[in-house]
Amino acid sequence: MAGWFRRLLHKPKPSSGESSLNAGRSASSSPSSSSSSAMSSNSSSETSLARSVRLSPVSLSVINASDSARWAKRYDVCICHSEADLELVEELVSYLEGQPESFRCFLQLRDATPGSAVVTELCDAVQNSHCWVMLITPSFLRDPWCKYQMHQALAEAPMANGRTIPVLKDVDRKDYPKELRNLYYIYMALKESSFRQIRDTIMYCECAVGTTGRGQTL
């Protein structure tokens, strides 16, 4: 691991006014917790569990470098969601693509090739994305297609390694999919702060990709 990246990970936590990096944990509760109360009432405990890491300014240059492993895949992030949540997802994609990093997002209804098989397009997007955001809502849990998307992402990276980013909205802890219970999640209470946490988590993944991929032939 590069020296600057080790120093980055050991920096003291930033003040509460500074941006935080989720890394799959920020504003989240441990999925192994036995509590089954509604997550919307857990804002204070979620804050206490947050882990904040300030990103070094070099991070953006690392992930955007011409020899970065970022460019080995077509997308930075694949968004898995229910069609019922499309409006919210479009807002998230617009936010991510408008960031200084210009994240490359795969949104199936927008980016799939006309005439291609739906399953083929999904599998191709999952394989060609560095990480996957799963917007888990009541509609997601009821939709067999969403569960298929989730299983495809998990099959691509069984050990996760920060690449699978569950985002819960209006879902109780007890309904969190059992397939994901080894992963921390983001709970979407306030849209603006949740978008920021998702962006920071993707950035964390991209920094890891960028540092491990430097100097490699892509």
Side-chain angles (χ1 to χ4, degrees):
M1 182 182 293
W4 73 266
F5 196 61
R6 283 199 300 270
R7 292 195 297 273
L8 168 64
L9 293 178
H10 288 86
K11 281 188 177 181
K13 292 181 179 180
S15 64
S16 59
E18 296 175 328
S19 62
S20 64
L21 177 63
N22 181 286
R25 296 176 173 83
S26 180
S28 68
S29 299
S30 169
S32 60
S33 173
S34 59
S35 173
S36 61
S37 61
M39 289 179 294
S40 59
S41 65
N42 291 340
S43 58
S44 59
S45 62
E46 288 167 354
T47 302
S48 67
L49 286 167
R51 297 184 62 185
S52 301
V53 181
R54 180 192 294 176
L55 283 169
S56 166
V58 76
S59 301
L60 182 57
S61 63
V62 168
I63 68 170
N64 283 339
S66 60
D67 61 344
S68 171
R70 177 187 186 187
W71 311 117
K73 291 183 181 289
R74 193 178 312 143
Y75 304 105
D76 296 306
V77 56
C78 177
I79 314 293
C80 302
H81 65 95
S82 165
E83 286 192 31
D85 302 311
L86 181 59
E87 183 176 347
L88 176 60
V89 171
E90 288 177 333
E91 289 185 55
L92 172 60
V93 168
S94 178
Y95 172 83
L96 294 174
E97 293 180 340
Q99 294 302 298
E101 300 80 17
S102 298
F103 291 116
R104 300 163 300 159
C105 303
F106 177 82
L107 184 59
Q108 189 161 17
L109 292 178
R110 180 193 68 179
D111 300 319
T113 303
S116 296
V118 173
V119 172
T120 301
E121 285 289 307
L122 172 66
C123 293
D124 181 69
V126 167
Q127 292 169 3
N128 282 285
S129 298
H130 286 296
C131 57
W132 313 283
V133 168
M134 296 184 191
L135 180 59
I136 301 172
T137 64
S139 297
F140 184 102
L141 295 175
R142 291 192 296 266
D143 191 338
W145 172 243
C146 291
K147 292 184 178 179
Y148 181 81
Q149 295 180 63
M150 177 177 67
H151 291 151
Q152 286 299 311
L154 291 174
E156 183 68 17
M159 301 307 292
N161 296 324
R163 297 178 65 191
T164 302
I165 308 170
V167 179
L168 273 64
K169 185 178 187 298
D170 302 327
V171 172
D172 288 345
R173 189 198 311 271
K174 62 182 176 60
D175 296 321
Y176 186 52
K178 65 181 185 301
E179 297 93 335
L180 301 175
R181 290 187 179 176
N182 65 320
L183 304 178
Y184 288 92
Y185 53 77
I186 295 170
Y187 181 69
M188 186 178 288
L190 298 175
K191 184 168 59 178
E192 182 177 348
S193 62
S194 298
F195 282 9
R196 198 160 52 240
Q197 291 160 11
I198 294 168
R199 176 262 177 198
D200 288 345
T201 308
I202 296 170
M203 185 70 171
Y204 182 88
C205 176
E206 293 286 9
C207 285
V209 168
T211 54
T212 56
R214 295 297 294 273
Q216 296 179 358
T217 301
L218 302 181

